[in-house]
Amino acid sequence: MLLISKSKCLLKGKEPIMKLSYVYLKTSPFTCQSKPVVSAKEPFMIMAEPGKKYSWCSCGLSQKQPLCDGSHKKTEMRPYKITSKKECELWFCGCKQTRTPPFCDGSHLEKSVQKCSLGTSIP
């Protein structure tokens, strides 16, 4: 098992607006859950507070969507951690299919997501 950590700063012009850091695991295919479940078919908007840390649920199992409650511990997934530099709207992905985690990219509009039942993975 290999633990990988990454960090990047999102910019608006030349001014940093938030720090985004995340950790994920590279494991064998014999893990209990490797695909996220769809927790919503629309994004979640949070008004971020300066300096506050947010952990976005990447597995879809959290009861505190879109934020992590530790439910990922039975999966190979880990939350994305964000620290906002200023007050701003954050649109977190609810379907967990985004290609720009943790932010919504419109993936919830795809047919596969719309046909999928909440709480299940997309095949």
Side-chain angles (χ1 to χ4, degrees):
M1 181 182 314
L2 176 64
L3 186 64
I4 299 172
S5 178
K6 293 186 176 187
S7 184
K8 65 182 174 182
C9 192
L10 299 177
L11 302 174
K12 186 173 186 178
K14 293 183 181 179
E15 181 182 340
I17 56 171
M18 71 187 70
K19 181 179 179 186
L20 171 65
S21 59
Y22 50 98
V23 175
Y24 62 94
L25 299 173
K26 286 188 137 185
T27 61
S28 74
F30 305 106
T31 56
C32 38
Q33 181 186 338
S34 60
K35 289 177 141 186
V37 300
V38 175
S39 64
K41 296 182 182 182
E42 58 190 19
F44 294 93
M45 192 281 282
I46 291 181
M47 185 56 79
E49 299 173 27
K52 187 169 180 181
K53 295 180 181 182
Y54 301 90
S55 293
W56 175 73
C57 168
S58 65
C59 69
L61 300 173
S62 174
Q63 296 299 305
K64 296 181 177 180
Q65 291 296 331
L67 304 176
C68 176
D69 69 359
S71 296
H72 64 271
K73 292 177 182 167
K74 53 191 166 204
T75 74
E76 65 179 44
M77 291 169 261
R78 297 295 174 264
Y80 281 67
K81 297 183 180 185
I82 297 169
T83 304
S84 181
K85 300 287 185 189
K86 64 180 189 177
E87 186 175 309
C88 60
E89 287 182 2
L90 297 178
W91 289 89
F92 287 115
C93 175
C95 70
K96 312 302 178 188
Q97 308 304 307
T98 182
R99 290 173 285 286
T100 59
F103 305 109
C104 177
D105 68 355
S107 293
H108 61 278
L109 300 172
E110 294 176 8
K111 285 182 184 178
S112 60
V113 175
Q114 291 299 312
K115 287 174 32 177
C116 182
S117 298
L118 294 179
T120 60
S121 296
I122 294 178

Coordinates of all heavy atoms in Angstrom, one line a residue, residues 66-123:
P66 N -21.9 17.5 2.5 CA -20.8 17.0 1.7 C -19.6 16.7 2.5 O -18.5 16.4 1.9 CB -20.6 18.0 0.6 CG -20.8 19.3 1.4 CD -22.0 19.0 2.3
L67 N -19.6 16.9 3.8 CA -18.4 16.9 4.6 C -18.2 15.5 5.2 O -19.2 14.7 5.4 CB -18.5 17.9 5.7 CG -18.6 19.3 5.2 CD1 -18.8 20.3 6.4 CD2 -17.5 19.7 4.3
C68 N -17.0 15.2 5.5 CA -16.6 13.8 6.0 C -17.0 13.6 7.5 O -16.9 14.6 8.3 CB -15.1 13.7 5.9 SG -14.4 12.2 6.6
D69 N -17.5 12.4 7.8 CA -17.7 12.0 9.2 C -16.9 10.8 9.6 O -17.2 10.2 10.6 CB -19.2 11.8 9.4 CG -19.8 10.6 8.7 OD1 -19.0 9.9 8.0 OD2 -21.0 10.3 8.9
G70 N -16.0 10.4 8.8 CA -15.1 9.3 9.1 C -15.6 7.9 8.5 O -15.0 6.9 8.7
S71 N -16.8 7.9 7.8 CA -17.3 6.7 7.2 C -16.4 6.1 6.2 O -16.5 4.9 5.9 CB -18.7 7.0 6.5 OG -19.6 7.4 7.5
H72 N -15.4 6.8 5.7 CA -14.5 6.3 4.7 C -13.6 5.2 5.2 O -12.9 4.5 4.5 CB -13.7 7.4 4.1 CG -12.8 8.1 5.1 ND1 -13.2 9.1 5.9 CD2 -11.5 7.8 5.5 CE1 -12.2 9.5 6.7 NE2 -11.2 8.7 6.5
K73 N -13.5 5.1 6.5 CA -12.6 4.2 7.1 C -12.7 2.7 6.7 O -11.8 1.9 6.8 CB -12.6 4.3 8.7 CG -12.1 5.6 9.1 CD -12.2 5.8 10.6 CE -11.7 7.2 10.9 NZ -12.0 7.6 12.3
K74 N -13.9 2.4 6.2 CA -14.2 1.0 5.7 C -13.9 1.0 4.1 O -14.3 0.0 3.5 CB -15.5 0.5 6.1 CG -16.7 1.5 5.7 CD -18.0 1.0 6.4 CE -19.0 2.1 6.3 NZ -20.0 2.1 7.2
T75 N -13.3 2.0 3.6 CA -13.0 2.1 2.2 C -11.5 2.4 2.0 O -10.8 2.6 2.9 CB -13.8 3.2 1.5 OG1 -13.3 4.4 1.8 CG2 -15.3 3.1 1.8
E76 N -11.1 2.5 0.7 CA -9.7 2.9 0.4 C -9.7 4.4 0.1 O -8.6 4.9 -0.2 CB -9.2 2.1 -0.8 CG -9.9 2.4 -2.1 CD -9.3 1.6 -3.2 OE1 -9.0 0.4 -3.1 OE2 -9.2 2.2 -4.3
M77 N -10.8 5.1 0.3 CA -10.9 6.5 -0.1 C -10.6 7.4 1.2 O -10.7 6.9 2.3 CB -12.2 6.9 -0.7 CG -12.4 6.3 -2.0 SD -14.1 6.4 -2.6 CE -14.6 4.8 -2.2
R78 N -10.2 8.6 0.9 CA -9.9 9.5 2.0 C -10.5 10.9 1.6 O -10.6 11.2 0.4 CB -8.4 9.7 2.2 CG -7.7 8.4 2.6 CD -8.1 8.0 4.0 NE -7.6 6.7 4.5 CZ -8.2 5.6 4.4 NH1 -9.4 5.5 3.8 NH2 -7.7 4.5 4.8
P79 N -10.8 11.7 2.6 CA -11.4 13.0 2.3 C -10.4 14.0 1.7 O -9.2 13.9 1.9 CB -11.9 13.5 3.6 CG -11.0 12.8 4.6 CD -10.7 11.5 4.0
Y80 N -10.9 15.0 1.0 CA -10.1 16.1 0.5 C -10.2 17.2 1.5 O -11.3 17.5 1.9 CB -10.6 16.6 -0.9 CG -10.2 15.8 -2.1 CD1 -10.7 14.5 -2.2 CD2 -9.4 16.3 -3.0 CE1 -10.3 13.7 -3.3 CE2 -9.0 15.5 -4.1 CZ -9.5 14.2 -4.2 OH -9.1 13.4 -5.3
K81 N -9.1 17.7 1.9 CA -9.1 18.8 2.9 C -8.8 20.1 2.3 O -7.9 20.3 1.5 CB -8.1 18.5 4.0 CG -8.4 17.2 4.7 CD -7.5 16.8 5.8 CE -8.0 15.5 6.4 NZ -7.3 15.1 7.6
I82 N -9.7 21.1 2.7 CA -9.6 22.5 2.1 C -9.5 23.5 3.3 O -10.2 23.3 4.3 CB -10.9 22.8 1.3 CG1 -11.0 21.8 0.1 CG2 -10.9 24.2 0.8 CD1 -12.3 21.9 -0.6
T83 N -8.7 24.5 3.1 CA -8.6 25.6 4.0 C -8.9 26.8 3.2 O -8.1 27.1 2.3 CB -7.3 25.7 4.7 OG1 -7.0 24.5 5.4 CG2 -7.3 26.8 5.7
S84 N -9.9 27.5 3.5 CA -10.3 28.7 2.8 C -9.5 29.9 3.2 O -9.3 30.1 4.4 CB -11.8 29.0 2.9 OG -12.1 30.2 2.2
K85 N -9.0 30.7 2.3 CA -8.2 31.9 2.6 C -9.1 33.1 2.8 O -8.7 34.1 3.5 CB -7.2 32.2 1.5 CG -6.2 31.1 1.3 CD -5.2 31.1 2.4 CE -4.1 30.1 2.1 NZ -3.3 29.8 3.2
K86 N -10.4 33.0 2.3 CA -11.3 34.2 2.4 C -12.7 33.6 2.3 O -12.9 32.5 2.0 CB -11.0 35.2 1.4 CG -11.3 34.9 0.0 CD -11.0 36.0 -0.9 CE -11.4 35.8 -2.3 NZ -11.1 36.9 -3.2
E87 N -13.7 34.5 2.6 CA -15.1 34.1 2.5 C -15.5 33.9 1.1 O -15.2 34.8 0.3 CB -16.0 35.1 3.2 CG -17.4 34.7 3.3 CD -18.3 35.7 4.0 OE1 -17.9 36.0 5.2 OE2 -19.3 36.1 3.5
C88 N -16.0 32.8 0.7 CA -16.4 32.6 -0.7 C -17.4 31.4 -0.7 O -17.4 30.6 0.2 CB -15.2 32.3 -1.6 SG -14.2 30.9 -1.1
E89 N -18.1 31.3 -1.8 CA -19.0 30.1 -2.0 C -18.1 28.9 -2.5 O -17.3 29.1 -3.4 CB -20.0 30.4 -3.1 CG -21.1 31.3 -2.6 CD -22.2 31.5 -3.7 OE1 -22.1 31.0 -4.8 OE2 -23.1 32.3 -3.4
L90 N -18.3 27.8 -1.9 CA -17.7 26.5 -2.4 C -18.8 25.6 -2.8 O -19.8 25.4 -2.1 CB -16.9 25.9 -1.3 CG -15.7 26.6 -0.7 CD1 -15.1 25.8 0.4 CD2 -14.7 26.9 -1.8
W91 N -18.7 25.1 -4.1 CA -19.7 24.2 -4.6 C -19.1 22.8 -4.6 O -18.3 22.5 -5.5 CB -20.2 24.6 -6.0 CG -21.0 25.9 -5.9 CD1 -20.6 27.2 -5.9 CD2 -22.4 25.9 -5.7 NE1 -21.7 28.0 -5.8 CE2 -22.8 27.3 -5.7 CE3 -23.4 24.9 -5.6 CZ2 -24.1 27.7 -5.5 CZ3 -24.8 25.4 -5.5 CH2 -25.1 26.7 -5.4
F92 N -19.4 22.0 -3.6 CA -18.9 20.7 -3.4 C -19.7 19.7 -4.2 O -20.9 19.7 -4.2 CB -18.9 20.2 -2.0 CG -17.8 20.9 -1.1 CD1 -18.2 21.7 -0.1 CD2 -16.5 20.7 -1.4 CE1 -17.2 22.3 0.7 CE2 -15.5 21.3 -0.6 CZ -15.9 22.1 0.5
C93 N -19.0 18.7 -4.9 CA -19.7 17.7 -5.6 C -20.5 16.8 -4.7 O -20.0 16.4 -3.6 CB -18.6 16.8 -6.4 SG -19.3 15.4 -7.2
G94 N -21.7 16.5 -5.1 CA -22.6 15.6 -4.3 C -22.7 14.2 -4.9 O -22.9 13.3 -4.1
C95 N -22.4 14.1 -6.2 CA -22.5 12.8 -6.8 C -21.2 12.0 -6.6 O -21.2 10.8 -6.9 CB -22.9 12.9 -8.2 SG -21.7 13.6 -9.3
K96 N -20.1 12.6 -6.3 CA -18.8 12.0 -6.1 C -18.2 11.5 -7.4 O -17.3 10.7 -7.4 CB -18.9 10.9 -5.1 CG -19.6 11.2 -3.8 CD -19.0 12.4 -3.1 CE -19.8 12.8 -1.8 NZ -19.4 14.0 -1.2
Q97 N -18.7 11.9 -8.5 CA -18.2 11.5 -9.8 C -17.3 12.6 -10.5 O -16.9 12.4 -11.6 CB -19.3 11.1 -10.8 CG -20.3 10.1 -10.2 CD -19.6 8.8 -9.7 OE1 -18.9 8.2 -10.5 NE2 -19.8 8.5 -8.5
T98 N -17.1 13.7 -9.8 CA -16.4 14.9 -10.4 C -15.0 14.5 -10.8 O -14.3 13.7 -10.2 CB -16.4 16.0 -9.4 OG1 -15.7 17.1 -10.0 CG2 -15.6 15.7 -8.1
R99 N -14.6 15.1 -11.9 CA -13.2 15.0 -12.4 C -12.3 16.1 -11.8 O -11.1 16.2 -12.1 CB -13.2 15.0 -13.9 CG -13.8 13.7 -14.4 CD -13.9 13.7 -16.0 NE -15.0 14.5 -16.5 CZ -16.3 14.2 -16.4 NH1 -16.7 13.1 -15.8 NH2 -17.2 15.0 -16.9
T100 N -12.9 17.0 -11.0 CA -12.2 18.1 -10.4 C -12.5 18.1 -8.8 O -13.0 19.1 -8.3 CB -12.6 19.4 -11.0 OG1 -14.1 19.6 -10.8 CG2 -12.3 19.5 -12.5
P101 N -12.2 17.0 -8.2 CA -12.6 16.9 -6.7 C -11.8 18.0 -5.9 O -10.7 18.3 -6.2 CB -12.1 15.5 -6.3 CG -11.2 15.1 -7.4 CD -11.5 15.8 -8.6
P102 N -12.5 18.5 -5.0 CA -13.8 18.2 -4.4 C -15.0 19.0 -5.0 O -16.1 18.9 -4.5 CB -13.6 18.5 -2.9 CG -12.8 19.7 -3.0 CD -11.8 19.5 -4.1
F103 N -14.7 19.8 -6.1 CA -15.7 20.7 -6.6 C -16.5 20.1 -7.7 O -16.1 19.3 -8.5 CB -14.9 22.0 -7.1 CG -14.1 22.6 -6.1 CD1 -12.7 22.5 -6.2 CD2 -14.7 23.2 -4.9 CE1 -11.9 23.1 -5.2 CE2 -13.9 23.7 -3.9 CZ -12.5 23.7 -4.0
C104 N -17.8 20.6 -7.8 CA -18.7 20.1 -8.8 C -18.2 20.5 -10.2 O -17.7 21.7 -10.4 CB -20.1 20.8 -8.5 SG -21.3 20.3 -9.8
D105 N -18.3 19.6 -11.1 CA -17.9 19.9 -12.5 C -19.1 19.6 -13.5 O -19.0 19.5 -14.7 CB -16.7 19.1 -13.0 CG -16.9 17.6 -13.0 OD1 -18.0 17.1 -12.7 OD2 -16.0 16.9 -13.5
G106 N -20.3 19.4 -12.9 CA -21.5 19.1 -13.7 C -21.7 17.6 -13.9 O -22.6 17.2 -14.7
S107 N -20.9 16.7 -13.4 CA -21.0 15.3 -13.6 C -22.3 14.7 -13.2 O -22.8 13.7 -13.7 CB -19.9 14.5 -12.9 OG -18.6 14.8 -13.4
H108 N -23.0 15.4 -12.2 CA -24.3 14.9 -11.8 C -25.4 15.0 -12.9 O -26.4 14.4 -12.8 CB -24.8 15.7 -10.6 CG -24.9 17.2 -10.8 ND1 -23.9 18.1 -10.8 CD2 -26.0 17.9 -11.1 CE1 -24.3 19.3 -11.1 NE2 -25.6 19.2 -11.3
L109 N -25.1 15.7 -14.0 CA -26.0 15.8 -15.1 C -25.9 14.6 -16.1 O -26.8 14.5 -16.9 CB -25.8 17.1 -15.8 CG -26.0 18.4 -14.9 CD1 -25.6 19.6 -15.7 CD2 -27.5 18.4 -14.4
E110 N -24.9 13.8 -15.9 CA -24.7 12.7 -16.8 C -25.7 11.6 -16.6 O -26.2 11.4 -15.5 CB -23.3 12.1 -16.6 CG -22.2 13.0 -17.0 CD -20.8 12.5 -16.7 OE1 -20.6 11.3 -16.4 OE2 -19.8 13.3 -16.9
K111 N -26.1 10.9 -17.7 CA -27.2 9.9 -17.6 C -26.9 8.8 -16.6 O -27.8 8.4 -15.9 CB -27.4 9.2 -19.0 CG -28.1 10.1 -20.0 CD -28.3 9.4 -21.3 CE -28.9 10.3 -22.3 NZ -29.1 9.7 -23.6
S112 N -25.6 8.4 -16.5 CA -25.3 7.3 -15.5 C -25.5 7.7 -14.1 O -26.0 6.9 -13.3 CB -23.8 6.9 -15.7 OG -22.9 8.0 -15.5
V113 N -25.3 9.0 -13.8 CA -25.6 9.5 -12.4 C -27.1 9.6 -12.2 O -27.6 9.2 -11.2 CB -24.9 10.8 -12.2 CG1 -25.2 11.4 -10.8 CG2 -23.4 10.7 -12.3
Q114 N -27.8 10.2 -13.2 CA -29.2 10.4 -13.0 C -30.0 9.1 -12.9 O -31.0 9.1 -12.2 CB -29.7 11.3 -14.2 CG -29.3 12.7 -14.2 CD -29.7 13.4 -12.9 OE1 -30.9 13.4 -12.5 NE2 -28.8 14.1 -12.3
K115 N -29.5 8.0 -13.6 CA -30.2 6.7 -13.5 C -29.9 6.0 -12.3 O -30.6 5.1 -11.9 CB -29.8 5.9 -14.8 CG -30.5 6.4 -16.0 CD -30.0 5.8 -17.3 CE -29.7 4.3 -17.2 NZ -29.3 3.7 -18.5
C116 N -28.8 6.3 -11.6 CA -28.3 5.6 -10.5 C -29.1 5.9 -9.2 O -29.6 7.0 -9.0 CB -26.8 6.0 -10.2 SG -26.0 5.2 -8.8
S117 N -29.3 4.9 -8.4 CA -30.1 5.2 -7.1 C -29.1 5.8 -6.1 O -27.9 5.4 -6.1 CB -30.6 3.9 -6.5 OG -31.5 3.3 -7.4
L118 N -29.6 6.7 -5.3 CA -28.8 7.3 -4.2 C -28.2 6.2 -3.3 O -29.0 5.2 -3.0 CB -29.5 8.3 -3.4 CG -29.9 9.6 -4.2 CD1 -30.7 10.5 -3.3 CD2 -28.7 10.3 -4.8
G119 N -27.0 6.3 -2.9 CA -26.4 5.3 -2.0 C -25.8 4.1 -2.7 O -25.4 3.2 -2.0
T120 N -25.8 4.1 -4.0 CA -25.2 3.1 -4.8 C -24.0 3.6 -5.7 O -24.0 4.8 -6.0 CB -26.2 2.3 -5.7 OG1 -26.7 3.3 -6.6 CG2 -27.3 1.7 -4.9
S121 N -23.1 2.7 -6.1 CA -22.0 3.1 -6.9 C -22.5 3.0 -8.4 O -23.4 2.2 -8.7 CB -20.8 2.2 -6.7 OG -20.3 2.3 -5.4
I122 N -21.8 3.8 -9.2 CA -22.1 3.7 -10.7 C -21.3 2.5 -11.2 O -20.1 2.5 -11.0 CB -21.8 5.0 -11.4 CG1 -22.7 6.1 -10.9 CG2 -21.8 4.9 -12.9 CD1 -22.5 7.4 -11.4
P123 N -21.9 1.6 -11.9 CA -21.2 0.5 -12.5 C -20.1 0.8 -13.4 O -20.0 1.9 -14.0 CB -22.2 -0.4 -13.2 CG -23.5 0.4 -13.1 CD -23.3 1.6 -12.3

